[in-house]
């Protein structure tokens, strides 16, 4: 898909900003603090119904304003046009999402319709941070490509919250009956095994994609790998039914421990994915450059995976990604990106096209200054 126009009102430091975008690489350029990332954030509202980093919508309306609006014109790969509009009112904390003038009944129904891959410096923590960062990554990719997964995941979280309340009550002696956990265990195992199953299937398919992308950016042979072992040393079952039975078995075996801790200790909410390079743990051994190349490969792998799963080319947002990369590697990454679809790149560089030795002929440069567009033009590069 392609975003052809974007218009935002009272969004962060933008009062009213409109941009026209090209089908290839769009550069959002300008000095620090001028409002480049805010534009990426606005596009994330169109595709994900929310900010890709802010924890709350209430932070987003321009200071002194009670609402914000984002409107975009999107054309699908098949040529179908969409006008997508998000409006948020702080007073009532209400967010309205409209597609072609019709309000969508639930925000979750939008996920996956307009796929997007966003890569910003915070995403570096997927390779350097704790397990929750990698779970977030998994959930973002799989949810966009499978509505069933997203539904199971939301269901799992809801059952988990309620089961945790029961366990905490048991720990505090507020309730103690033996049969109390059984119905929660059934639901937790049913939804949890569905999540486990889909994560397992995803990683099996995704790991070779990452390896193939990674090989574009390095001359030497380095083999990245993603490994998922939710059951520890135990072999992963051959069917989802067996997996659900194993889940229940583990719950039974650890019930006393869970009662003692007053919380659920088994399930997808405790998962991790091991990231390795040539068989060695990335977090313990990799250099900064290797981390960076790994995370770029994860993100571009996510792009290729979503493209094939959603039957729609995702938008690719790269926020401040090239700050630490040398010019040669930057040029390789951009050469890769410009072949795959529409991309938005932010940079403080005045003239990235010349200095990165780009080989495509047409780009769009959009200069942002003080929450407004100072200049936007299509650049033809000889
Ligand atoms: N709700 C808001 N209302 C008005 N201004 C805001 C709001 N939230 C953030 N800002 C302002 O937006 C600016 C930051 O914008 P943004 O993060 O898009 O900058 P940037 O161009 O990406 O800069 P950098 O190159 O440093 O990443 C800051 O000046 C900040 O004060
Ligand atoms: Mg920024």
């Amino acid at each position: 898909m392609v975003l052809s126009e974007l218009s935002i009102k009272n969004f962060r430091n933008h009062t009213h900003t409109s941009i026209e975008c090209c089908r290839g690489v769009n550069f959002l350029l300008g000095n620090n603090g001028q409002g480049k990332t805010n534009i990426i954030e606005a596009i994330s509202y169109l595709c994900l119904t929310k900010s890709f980093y802010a924890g709350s919508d209430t932070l987003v309306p321009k200071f002194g304003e009670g609402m914000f609006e984002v409107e975009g014109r999107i054309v699908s790969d098949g040529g179908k046009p969409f006008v997508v509009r998000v409006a948020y009112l702080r007073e009532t904390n209400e967010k309205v999402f409209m597609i072609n003038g019709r309000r969508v009944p639930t925000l979750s129904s939008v996920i996956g319709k307009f796929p997007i891959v966003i890569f910003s410096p915070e995403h570096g923590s997927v390779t350097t941070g704790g397990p929750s960062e990698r779970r977030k990554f998994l959930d973002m990719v799989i949810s966009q490509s499978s509505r069933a997964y997203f539904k199971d995941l939301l269901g799992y979280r809801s059952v988990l919250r309620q089961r945790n309340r029961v366990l905490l009550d048991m720990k505090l002696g507020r309730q103690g009956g033996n049969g109390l956990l059984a119905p929660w265990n059934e639901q937790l195992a049913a939804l949890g095994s569905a999540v486990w199953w889909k994560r397992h299937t995803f990683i099996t398919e995704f790991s070779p994609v990452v390896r193939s992308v990674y090989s574009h950016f390095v001359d030497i042979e380095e083999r990245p790998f993603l490994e998922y072992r939710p059951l520890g040393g135990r072999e992963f079952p051959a069917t989802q039914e067996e997996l659900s039975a194993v889940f229940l078995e583990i719950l039974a075996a650890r019930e006393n421990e869970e009662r003692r801790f007053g919380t659920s200790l088994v399930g997808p909410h405790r998962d991790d994915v091991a990231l390795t390079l040539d068989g060695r743990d990335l977090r313990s051994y990799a250099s900064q450059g290797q981390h960076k190349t790994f995370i770029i490969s994860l993100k571009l792998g996510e792009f290729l995976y979503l493209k094939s799963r959603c039957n729609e080319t995702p938008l690719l947002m790269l926020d401040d990604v090239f700050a630490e990369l040398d010019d040669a590697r930057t040029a390789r990454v951009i050469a890769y990106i410009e072949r795959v679809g529409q991309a938005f790149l932010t940079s403080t560089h005045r003239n990235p096209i010349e200095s990165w030795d780009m080989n495509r002929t047409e780009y769009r440069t959009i200069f942002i200054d003080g929450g407004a567009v100072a200049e936007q033009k299509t650049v033809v590069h000889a």
Side-chain angles (χ1 to χ4, degrees):
M1 68 189 216
V2 165
L3 175 69
S4 58
E5 283 173 53
L6 176 76
S7 169
I8 60 183
K9 279 190 198 142
N10 294 330
F11 190 99
R12 300 277 193 187
N13 67 338
H14 293 265
T15 305
H16 186 185
T17 295
S18 293
I19 61 174
E20 284 174 31
C21 324
C22 77
R23 302 184 68 85
V25 178
N26 295 271
F27 286 98
L28 297 163
L29 304 171
N31 291 334
N32 293 134
Q34 297 307 306
K36 305 180 296 295
T37 299
N38 295 344
I39 289 185
I40 304 277
E41 188 183 30
I43 299 173
S44 100
Y45 268 96
L46 290 181
C47 299
L48 301 173
T49 75
K50 59 178 190 177
S51 168
F52 73 95
Y53 72 95
S56 162
D57 298 324
T58 59
L59 307 170
V60 180
K62 189 165 194 256
F63 299 144
E65 301 287 341
M67 72 174 300
F68 72 76
E69 286 174 64
V70 181
E71 187 174 294
R73 288 180 181 274
I74 290 174
V75 183
S76 73
D77 288 355
K80 215 168 155 201
F82 295 94
V83 177
V84 181
R85 189 164 172 271
V86 190
Y88 172 76
L89 193 63
R90 183 164 28 206
E91 197 180 358
T92 52
N93 196 26
E94 191 187 16
K95 191 156 51 176
V96 176
F97 200 101
M98 317 259 285
I99 300 178
N100 293 340
R102 293 177 63 163
R103 183 172 182 176
V104 300
T106 59
L107 293 175
S108 62
S109 66
V110 178
I111 304 302
K113 203 168 170 50
F114 306 113
I116 188 167
V117 173
I118 303 174
F119 180 20
S120 77
E122 297 98 80
H123 291 111
S125 52
V126 174
T127 66
T128 55
S132 68
E133 300 294 334
R134 287 176 287 286
R135 287 197 295 271
K136 246 189 272 167
F137 173 76
L138 287 186
D139 291 339
M140 178 58 87
V141 188
I142 315 174
S143 295
Q144 284 198 79
S145 64
S146 160
R147 184 147 304 159
Y149 178 82
F150 190 43
K151 231 175 116 219
D152 288 340
L153 184 68
L154 295 181
Y156 177 78
R157 285 180 183 157
S158 157
V159 171
L160 183 68
R161 267 194 305 276
Q162 299 177 72
R163 186 173 184 270
N164 281 345
R165 221 171 290 144
V166 174
L167 279 166
L168 187 64
D169 280 350
M170 286 174 154
K171 180 186 165 172
L172 300 176
R174 289 203 284 250
Q175 43 180 321
N178 270 341
L180 274 178
L181 272 181
W184 295 116
N185 288 357
E186 290 291 334
Q187 292 189 56
L188 198 74
L191 291 162
S193 59
V195 171
W196 265 348
W197 186 260
K198 291 197 181 90
R199 285 183 180 174
H200 175 75
T201 312
F202 166 72
I203 289 170
T204 310
E205 292 171 7
F206 186 62
S207 189
V209 178
V210 173
R211 182 171 291 191
S212 141
V213 176
Y214 193 100
S215 68
H216 280 90
F217 306 131
V218 290
D219 293 321
I220 34 169
E221 173 99 0
E222 279 177 348
R223 287 176 316 260
F225 190 67
L226 285 78
E227 188 179 23
Y228 182 58
R229 286 183 163 276
L231 306 176
R234 200 165 173 158
E235 187 141 345
F236 202 79
T239 66
Q240 199 179 315
E241 290 69 39
E242 276 178 62
L243 183 59
S244 182
V246 170
F247 200 128
L248 283 171
E249 249 174 63
I250 305 176
L251 285 179
R254 297 189 65 181
E255 181 171 333
N256 286 340
E257 209 184 336
E258 291 198 314
R259 281 172 177 241
R260 218 171 41 247
F261 281 90
T263 191
S264 302
L265 300 172
V266 182
H269 64 292
R270 311 278 288 199
D271 274 355
D272 196 4
V273 183
L275 306 178
T276 60
L277 203 53
D278 290 335
R280 291 202 182 85
D281 177 47
L282 198 73
R283 281 204 297 169
S284 312
Y285 296 109
S287 75
Q288 282 173 336
Q290 287 170 326
H291 272 283
K292 189 98 194 186
T293 311
F294 205 113
I295 179 75
I296 289 178
S297 305
L298 283 178
K299 283 286 161 183
L300 293 177
E302 175 183 353
F303 179 91
L304 297 177
Y305 182 85
L306 286 182
K307 180 172 175 167
S308 73
R309 284 297 152 139
C310 302
N311 285 321
E312 191 68 62
T313 310
L315 301 182
L316 184 58
M317 307 281 137
L318 302 178
D319 188 18
D320 254 338
V321 164
F322 302 111
E324 301 146 37
L325 280 189
D326 61 37
D327 286 354
R329 200 162 282 197
T330 301
R332 270 194 197 191
V333 174
I334 293 184
Y336 190 90
I337 286 164
E338 54 192 19
R339 288 203 321 262
V340 295
Q342 187 183 33
F344 292 80
L345 275 66
T346 69
S347 174
T348 49
H349 223 297
R350 292 292 309 165
N351 197 347
I353 298 167
E354 302 240 312
S355 45
W356 291 340
D357 195 20
M358 318 274 286
N359 38 35
R360 203 181 160 117
T361 50
E362 244 182 62
Y363 301 93
R364 186 97 178 142
T365 53
I366 301 146
F367 285 89
I368 308 293
D369 188 14
V373 172
E375 185 195 348
Q376 54 179 325
K377 61 179 184 207
T378 298
V379 179
V380 179
H381 180 55

